[in-house]
Amino acid sequence: GISTEATLRQVLYKDVAQRNFIGARRTLFLWAVINLIVGATAALLLTFWAIPIIQLLLAIEYRSSAIGLLPWLAIGHVSLLLAQTFERLVYACQRTQYIVQVQAASAGVAVAAGVLGAWWGGLLGVAMAVPIYYTIQLLLSIVVATKSLKNIQDKYESNEAV
């Protein structure tokens, strides 16, 4: 999480600023793999240890419903962590307007998925919607990050040709 962000963000920003596009892709790939491993490990631990964690943190009246929710929330947040990783590349490319668009689209999907989830399965349905809308945010972030880096690379190469 935080240490990876503090370290690799600087490397990614430097790579983009210096037009080292291969380095930027490598850094982003490394960062995504690290976040995937850490996030998936945390989600698995939260899933398998849900009962003792919930017993430790929640009052008795909330425990029974929370046990089924925690795995869905944990899995969804792995996608969110990865989406934020790809969004860092968009920031490095100074295309922040695309981040706003991704966030707005994701918020709309989150509301729709949450409402449908509530209608379909109540609180559990809302929790099950979390991985859906965060995965959509991840996919949008990947598309925007890929296009942002390609646009900068194309612009740089066309300036070099002149």
Side-chain angles (χ1 to χ4, degrees):
I2 295 172
S3 61
T4 308
E5 165 92 17
T7 305
L8 294 179
R9 180 180 34 147
Q10 303 308 320
V11 175
L12 180 66
Y13 284 19
K14 180 181 161 214
D15 286 341
V16 171
Q18 293 178 349
R19 307 298 185 231
N20 179 3
F21 302 113
I22 293 171
R25 284 185 182 89
R26 282 187 194 143
T27 301
L28 185 65
F29 178 77
L30 174 64
W31 195 352
V33 167
I34 290 170
N35 281 347
L36 176 61
I37 291 169
V38 170
T41 301
L44 285 172
L45 289 174
L46 285 170
T47 298
F48 290 116
W49 289 46
I51 293 172
I53 290 170
I54 286 169
Q55 287 176 339
L56 178 68
L57 298 175
L58 294 180
I60 247 177
E61 58 269 18
Y62 302 110
R63 291 179 186 167
S64 62
S65 61
I67 290 171
L69 305 179
L70 188 58
W72 294 104
L73 300 175
I75 291 165
H77 280 80
V78 175
S79 291
L80 176 62
L81 179 62
L82 291 170
Q84 291 172 341
T85 304
F86 285 94
E87 288 171 4
R88 293 304 178 263
L89 178 59
V90 180
Y91 284 118
C93 294
Q94 298 178 351
R95 302 290 198 262
T96 55
Q97 71 273 20
Y98 298 132
I99 297 293
V100 173
Q101 293 170 0
V102 166
Q103 296 287 327
S106 300
V109 170
V111 169
V115 168
L116 287 172
W119 174 76
W120 175 78
L123 191 55
L124 180 61
V126 173
M128 293 172 79
V130 172
I132 294 169
Y133 61 76
Y134 280 150
T135 300
I136 290 171
Q137 181 174 341
L138 169 60
L139 295 173
L140 291 172
S141 297
I142 290 170
V143 168
V144 168
T146 303
K147 286 186 176 187
S148 295
L149 189 61
K150 184 175 181 340
N151 288 344
I152 282 194
Q153 187 172 0
D154 289 348
K155 183 178 176 182
Y156 176 72
E157 288 171 356
S158 68
N159 287 342
E160 286 290 310
V162 173

